[in-house]
Amino acid sequence: MSDTRPRILVFAGSAREDSFNKRLARLMAQRIDALGGQATFVDLRDFPMPIYDGDLEAGEGLPEHASRLKRMFMEHQGLAIASPEYNGFITPLLKNTIDWVSRPDGDLGALEPYQHKVAAIVGASPGGLGGLRALPLLRQLLSNIGVTVLPDQLAVGGAGSAFHEDGSLADEGKAKALDNICQRLVTTLARSSQ
Ligand SMILES: Cc1cc2nc3c(=O)[nH]c(=O)nc-3n(C[C@H](O)[C@H](O)[C@H](O)COP(=O)(O)O)c2cc1C
């Protein structure tokens, strides 16, 4: 029998080895799997690409990693993104990745990887607000390109002490909130594929 669990691509907007947002993304992937989805975690460090440049695109098309990631987007129904906050905004890495993936590539149309997608967005920061200011901006960006973003979101503040060694969240309320978001993402996608 074929696997009907919704496939969800999970990543963080940080390349940093010890990134709090990668920790949060990995935790989301684990919780999605536990709650009936099928998560694929990707580390954007493994998909290096230049800053978007129209001349580069006109001359060479999409960089190899952008093309590969675009095809991975196509193989998943959902997105789960952990976004850091830089100066109240999302990171250049996250914006650049979303921009490259939004460009046409051979048989794949510009916004095809985003159409009919459902996304959950969360963030983590060592600061008290947990990167809360970046989330509405990420929400708007994703909505602009056809992604339905779940209303629930989570910002994990004080990220330096927010995680247990095993990667789980120390705060029970936050752990529960993350589970609720992951569950809602899985359930929404499962319903929409019926
Ligand atoms: C350029 C820059 C701007 C930043 N601006 C903010 C900010 O506006 N709000 C915030 O909470 N943290 C800010 N930070 C701190 C980041 O939250 C912190 O570096 C965090 O660890 C980045 O996420 P990561 O751990 O996933 O790499 C900023 C960091 C950098 C490098």
Side-chain angles (χ1 to χ4, degrees), residues 17-188:
E17 187 67 30
D18 291 326
S19 160
F20 299 121
N21 286 281
K22 274 197 221 172
R23 263 190 236 179
L24 195 54
R26 283 201 179 91
L27 178 58
M28 265 201 295
Q30 187 211 92
R31 298 315 300 150
I32 285 166
D33 283 341
L35 293 164
Q38 203 180 348
T40 309
F41 172 82
V42 290
D43 185 341
L44 292 186
R45 174 160 273 182
D46 297 332
F47 293 79
M49 43 187 101
I51 291 285
Y52 177 80
D53 175 337
D55 289 342
L56 198 155
E57 183 189 17
E60 301 169 28
L62 259 63
E64 180 199 341
H65 292 302
S67 184
R68 199 153 65 90
L69 197 58
K70 188 172 175 102
R71 272 151 221 284
M72 286 191 79
F73 269 61
M74 293 299 297
E75 290 161 8
H76 293 78
Q77 292 107 35
L79 301 172
I81 305 175
S83 173
E85 176 178 288
Y86 282 3
N87 298 320
F89 216 82
I90 64 170
T91 59
L93 173 68
L94 183 54
K95 179 68 164 58
N96 191 51
T97 302
I98 291 172
D99 285 346
W100 270 120
V101 170
S102 76
R103 303 301 299 159
D105 185 32
D107 56 324
L108 289 183
L111 298 182
E112 226 175 309
Y114 297 112
Q115 304 294 313
H116 312 297
K117 283 269 186 316
V118 180
I121 57 172
V122 298
S125 160
L129 294 180
L132 187 63
R133 292 180 301 169
L135 293 181
L137 301 164
L138 178 57
R139 177 179 297 283
Q140 185 180 352
L141 167 60
L142 292 170
S143 301
N144 288 343
I145 52 179
V147 178
T148 301
V149 185
L150 292 182
D152 317 78
Q153 60 187 34
L154 177 68
V156 177
S161 56
F163 295 89
H164 287 304
E165 201 128 289
D166 66 0
S168 61
L169 283 168
D171 183 282
E172 248 179 64
K174 290 222 174 343
K176 183 78 190 136
L178 191 73
D179 264 15
N180 287 343
I181 290 170
C182 293
Q183 184 68 79
R184 186 152 180 188
L185 183 59
V186 169
T187 308
T188 303

